[in-house]
Amino acid sequence: MRIEFGEYVIRDWVDDDARSIVRYADNRKVAMWLRDRFPSPYTDADAEVFLARVARQDPRTIFAIATEREAIGGIGLEFGDDVHRFTAELGYWLGEPFWGRGIVTEAVRLFTAWAFEHLAVHRIFAAVFAGNEASIRVLEKAGFEREGRLRASVFKNGRILDQVLYAKVKQGIM
């Protein structure tokens, strides 16, 4: 998969991305807004494990956000199962030097359109930790609708936090 936008691209992860993953992911400001399974600190071994897991995906649902030279972040979907099998949770991250440029907003917009066209998904949602205003703006600008607040739903950074739920539904399914 390859989606180009400006000087950036959404593409498959490759083994050579390990160094840039560590460079940009090993940042407390990135990890603080992600699930605990996103390692912090982020080591070379963590990058190798991640890249091996992504290489085994079928279909592939986790991709790099990159410049022509290096991966600078990631975007992907995690599918539900059973009655949630056509629903997927969206996740993304971007290296701090690239924040504030609209990169993730455009990546989310293009990636969700691609997913609705190429994957068996009818609903894509994201549950953002309360306080992550940048991610809330990304989702709103990318056309996601706020569906509600999940009160006291996560434990992160030593605190119980709410999550704000956003979703986008494939056109024409209802």
Side-chain angles (χ1 to χ4, degrees):
M1 188 269 263
R2 185 174 178 90
I3 302 171
E4 295 181 16
F5 58 107
E7 60 189 278
Y8 304 100
V9 62
I10 301 168
R11 61 159 172 80
D12 288 328
W13 288 101
V14 295
D15 289 341
D16 289 345
D17 289 329
R19 192 172 324 158
S20 64
I21 293 172
V22 174
R23 178 181 309 119
Y24 297 116
D26 188 24
N27 181 331
R28 186 186 165 296
K29 292 178 186 176
V30 170
M32 72 183 286
W33 298 115
L34 301 173
R35 302 249 172 113
D36 287 346
R37 68 181 173 206
F38 189 93
S40 182
Y42 205 109
T43 66
D44 291 334
D46 293 321
E48 290 173 18
V49 167
F50 168 74
L51 290 170
R53 181 173 62 88
V54 170
R56 291 189 304 271
Q57 278 194 314
D58 185 25
R60 201 165 273 193
T61 60
I62 300 174
F63 303 93
I65 300 171
T67 65
E68 286 304 319
R69 294 186 326 274
E70 64 180 348
I72 60 171
I75 191 165
L77 295 173
E78 185 173 307
F79 276 79
D81 59 11
D82 194 32
V83 296
H84 302 284
R85 65 187 166 271
F86 296 112
T87 298
E89 183 174 10
L90 174 70
Y92 47 84
W93 67 273
L94 188 68
E96 186 178 6
F98 301 93
W99 292 358
R101 300 183 192 180
I103 298 166
V104 174
T105 299
E106 191 62 14
V108 167
R109 186 183 343 250
L110 294 169
F111 179 68
T112 55
W114 175 87
F116 284 137
E117 185 176 334
H118 294 94
L119 301 173
V121 63
H122 297 287
R123 180 176 186 273
I124 298 173
F125 74 95
V128 180
F129 299 156
N132 188 350
E133 297 303 320
S135 195
I136 287 170
R137 282 191 305 277
V138 162
L139 293 167
E140 289 174 347
K141 288 179 181 178
F144 280 67
E145 293 183 33
R146 183 179 172 148
E147 293 187 333
R149 187 173 201 91
L150 306 171
R151 295 176 35 230
S153 58
V154 294
F155 181 77
K156 181 69 179 178
N157 301 319
R159 300 181 318 161
I160 301 290
L161 299 172
D162 292 354
Q163 292 181 95
V164 184
L165 183 63
Y166 281 84
K168 188 180 250 191
V169 177
K170 186 175 183 176
Q171 299 278 338
I173 63 161
M174 296 183 63

